[in-house]
Amino acid sequence: MAPNSDAGETPKTAFDELCRSLKQQYKAIENARQSADVQLASIRALLAKENINLGDTLALVVFGSLARRESTSRSDVDWTLLVDGPVDPEHIKVATRIGEILVAAEHAEPGNTGTFGTLASSHDIVHHIGGSDDTNRNMTRRLLLLLESRAVVGELVRSRVIRAVLGRYIFWGRGLPTNSAPRLRVPRFLLNDVVRYWRTIAVDYAAKKWEQSEKKWALRNAKLRVSRKMTFVKGLLLCFDCELFPNDSLWNSAGTPKSWDDAEQLLASGCETLVEETPIDVLSRALVRLQLDELAKDLFQAYGEFLALIDDAKSRQALETLTFDNAESDPVFGIVRNDIGRRFGDSLEKLFFTGDNELSRLTKKYGLF
């Protein structure tokens, strides 16, 4: 980590603003962000060359490290062909063709769970929130659409579905109005689903370890300790932001809400803006506004070390092949578990429980009960 040589430039993202404020440079994070942008542009050019036309009802959406702008040398391309329109049997042919093109270009294939690499319907994503029809797969697609997604092609379609999902959470999951003046309130319906998703992936980690005979369990464990946790952090801060920073221009650009309907409209608009930020940028935004410089240094030092480790072929291979019985003495897993993961987790605990009184209050009031 070295002083930022570009300190005089205008920050382009919240993370850039943070780095300039701290006078720090996190090379592994910057490299991963540049790599993700290059890879996304490459896929976009590849589909254009193959004349893949998705029209106005389809979007090719990527998730995971590519969407978070955290790509490393062996990152998978987790993608979904998002359908927001009438059912057409031809859609599956389009999805199959996209998969073939990506494989031919030697992009790493998504996992075999069926969540990615196929079609996803906006109807299920928007209408099946909770209840018996909301499968783990459907919940994963919906929450990741909000927390870590980017459109390769079809940005208008993706944005339209995101707007509808936020509408379900905010307008149809609204709390009772009170006699007090209309104001922005933490969207509890959305927050509950964010927390449910985090607990679900933690449980599913154990299920996969059982079902897949411990195959790649250590790599999944490492991601759960760091990068998956970063995505969860975005979800929490996305929900808390309106009460945490009520005077921010994001929330008061239209003036004081005149009615509870106005407040909900403003909340939906602000959440839509934050959805477009990466988890790193949403966390950076909070750290800058809360002026928690030392905590920010600790968090991103650990996160940069994690990305560097995952990007190292030897270290990643060690995690991919490690058996559970040998984990205790493995040096690479020891770094993730006892050093990077612990420092990152401890720093997040400080952020949400002791770093700022208001954030601590919101965490205890909304995040726990």
Side-chain angles (χ1 to χ4, degrees):
M1 193 164 56
N4 189 346
S5 60
D6 298 325
E9 295 182 2
T10 301
K12 297 179 181 179
T13 67
F15 179 66
D16 295 331
E17 180 184 355
L18 178 71
C19 290
R20 190 178 73 165
S21 173
L22 299 178
K23 295 183 173 58
Q24 301 286 342
Q25 187 177 44
Y26 300 90
K27 202 63 182 173
I29 297 177
E30 292 171 1
N31 289 343
R33 287 161 82 86
Q34 292 170 7
S35 175
D37 293 344
V38 169
Q39 190 174 5
L40 191 69
S42 172
I43 295 173
R44 194 171 282 135
L46 188 62
L47 296 178
K49 181 180 178 182
E50 296 290 336
N51 295 315
I52 299 296
N53 183 5
L54 302 186
D56 59 0
T57 62
L58 300 177
L60 177 59
V61 180
V62 292
F63 304 91
S65 58
L66 184 55
R68 295 193 307 270
R69 297 185 71 203
E70 298 173 16
S71 281
T72 56
S73 55
R74 299 183 63 186
S75 292
D76 298 338
V77 177
D78 292 332
W79 63 271
T80 290
L81 186 62
L82 180 61
V83 182
D84 185 43
V87 175
D88 187 336
E90 292 296 316
H91 290 163
I92 191 62
K93 294 183 180 180
V94 177
T96 300
R97 180 59 184 143
I98 289 172
E100 292 171 345
I101 291 171
L102 293 176
V103 169
E106 299 184 343
H107 289 287
E109 296 182 72
N112 58 4
T113 63
T115 303
F116 306 116
T118 187
L119 299 172
S121 168
S122 65
H123 181 280
D124 294 339
I125 291 171
V126 173
H127 292 287
H128 296 161
I129 302 181
S132 58
D133 291 327
D134 193 15
T135 63
N136 280 6
R137 185 178 299 170
N138 190 60
M139 178 180 61
T140 296
R141 288 169 174 166
R142 180 177 63 254
L143 269 297
L144 291 187
L145 191 63
L146 299 183
L147 301 180
E148 51 170 54
S149 73
R150 298 174 80 183
V152 181
V153 181
E155 178 54 44
L156 290 178
V157 175
R158 171 183 167 275
S159 297
R160 190 166 66 222
V161 177
I162 285 174
R163 199 170 298 120
V165 170
L166 288 174
R168 275 282 280 122
Y169 282 123
I170 294 171
F171 303 123
W172 296 95
R174 63 181 58 175
L176 289 172
T178 68
N179 292 327
S180 60
R183 60 182 178 80
L184 297 181
R185 298 183 291 188
V186 167
R188 290 199 189 213
F189 186 16
L190 172 57
L191 176 62
N192 286 337
D193 220 17
V194 167
V195 173
R196 178 172 71 129
Y197 172 66
W198 167 245
R199 294 304 183 190
T200 298
I201 61 175
V203 171
D204 282 356
Y205 155 75
K208 287 180 181 178
K209 182 171 174 290
W210 171 264
E211 294 166 356
Q212 300 180 16
S213 301
E214 300 183 1
K215 181 182 179 182
K216 293 186 178 181
W217 77 272
L219 181 61
R220 288 195 298 273
N221 184 284
K223 291 179 178 179
L224 194 61
R225 291 174 183 274
V226 188
S227 56
R228 299 279 188 268
K229 197 172 288 184
M230 176 70 88
T231 298
F232 176 47
V233 166
K234 175 183 173 179
L236 292 177
L237 293 175
L238 168 69
C239 294
F240 292 160
D241 201 278
C242 65
E243 288 197 32
L244 189 59
F245 307 117
N247 296 320
D248 190 276
S249 60
L250 183 65
W251 304 115
N252 66 14
S253 58
T256 303
K258 296 180 176 56
S259 68
W260 285 104
D261 285 342
D262 288 344
E264 288 170 352
Q265 291 284 353
L266 183 56
L267 177 61
S269 176
C271 285
E272 188 176 348
T273 298
L274 289 177
V275 161
E276 297 304 324
E277 300 292 327
T278 68
I280 282 178
D281 287 309
V282 171
L283 177 57
S284 296
R285 165 188 164 82
L287 290 166
V288 167
R289 283 158 178 75
L290 295 174
Q291 299 181 332
L292 298 173
D293 290 359
E294 293 306 312
L295 192 54
K297 291 176 183 178
D298 292 341
L299 278 165
F300 285 111
Q301 176 67 33
Y303 205 76
E305 290 174 18
F306 169 76
L307 291 180
L309 183 142
I310 293 296
D311 194 33
D312 179 74
K314 197 178 214 180
S315 297
R316 187 175 182 117
Q317 179 68 16
L319 291 175
E320 289 178 346
T321 58
L322 182 64
T323 64
F324 188 75
D325 290 339
N326 295 329
E328 188 68 30
S329 60
D330 184 79
V332 176
F333 187 68
I335 291 172
V336 173
R337 180 189 183 193
N338 300 318
D339 183 17
I340 295 174
R342 181 165 295 174
R343 284 189 285 124
F344 186 69
D346 288 348
S347 295
L348 288 178
E349 185 176 332
K350 290 178 183 177
L351 172 63
F352 283 95
F353 289 100
T354 62
D356 176 81
N357 288 338
E358 181 61 13
L359 180 54
S360 176
R361 183 190 72 81
L362 292 172
T363 302
K364 292 171 183 176
K365 179 178 180 179
Y366 297 109
L368 296 180
F369 295 104

